[in-house]
Amino acid sequence: MRRIKGDLSNFGILLTPAPRVQVLCYIPRLNLSAEVDFMIDTGASGTCLNGGYALGLQRYMRKETLRTSTGIGGQCGYYTETALLVFTDTTGQPLDFELELSIQRIRRFLWIRPSHLTLLTPCLLGRDVLSEWELRYNHQKEDITLIAP
């Protein structure tokens, strides 16, 4: 079993620290990668890039992959890309996880810029990963660990 350590971090306008894990996110079709702070979200069905991370990818997105997603925050459009998440385990070794990554659609108009709150929306590590791996979370001890088989 391989262990990936997370920590607590503030996201966007959230005042209470939430569990997060830092991951290298690679999109092969675009040959683009970035270190991403994912908030661990057991309520999210899938993993998604939101906010500022998604804004930089808008020009590369394909309209045919656009879908509507509904959650407690309302409806939002998401594009889909095959991506590779590269975690680093506690021994310093990389651990890959391939998935269909959702990328938030952020509308820009000539006269309106995306809202500050939209750009602060955290990226989410969802159940597509969490259902495959074990999550151990103790908020009081600030212990966040993902355990991969």
Side-chain angles (χ1 to χ4, degrees):
M1 293 214 234
R2 300 185 55 194
R3 297 174 185 273
I4 296 100
K5 294 298 285 180
D7 59 14
L8 294 175
S9 182
N10 290 326
F11 289 93
I13 61 169
L14 298 176
L15 300 176
T16 304
R20 91 168 165 139
V21 64
Q22 190 174 61
V23 179
L24 178 70
C25 181
Y26 175 65
I27 302 173
R29 182 180 74 84
L30 304 176
N31 195 28
L32 292 174
S33 63
E35 286 285 335
V36 177
D37 289 331
F38 283 99
M39 184 171 79
I40 298 171
D41 187 352
T42 61
S45 58
T47 296
C48 55
L49 289 181
N50 294 313
Y53 291 101
L55 180 63
L57 296 174
Q58 297 300 296
R59 65 179 169 213
Y60 303 114
M61 295 297 96
R62 299 169 294 168
K63 286 193 303 187
E64 63 272 13
T65 69
L66 183 62
R67 304 284 183 268
T68 300
S69 179
T70 303
I72 61 170
Q75 286 189 335
C76 184
Y78 281 91
Y79 300 100
T80 304
E81 288 286 341
T82 299
L84 188 66
L85 299 184
V86 183
F87 298 80
T88 302
D89 71 14
T90 54
T91 67
Q93 297 300 306
L95 178 59
D96 300 347
F97 194 103
E98 187 176 56
L99 50 65
E100 291 300 310
L101 181 68
S102 296
I103 300 169
Q104 182 184 21
R105 177 185 188 193
I106 299 178
R107 293 180 173 228
R108 295 177 85 173
F109 301 100
L110 293 176
W111 62 94
I112 301 174
R113 293 179 184 231
S115 80
H116 182 64
L117 294 178
T118 298
L119 296 178
L120 291 175
T121 305
C123 298
L124 304 176
L125 187 74
R127 291 191 312 265
D128 51 350
V129 175
L130 300 175
S131 63
E132 300 290 323
W133 295 356
E134 181 182 347
L135 169 63
R136 292 188 183 164
Y137 174 49
N138 184 321
H139 187 85
Q140 289 77 17
K141 294 182 179 180
E142 295 187 18
D143 181 27
I144 296 99
T145 306
L146 290 168
I147 301 171

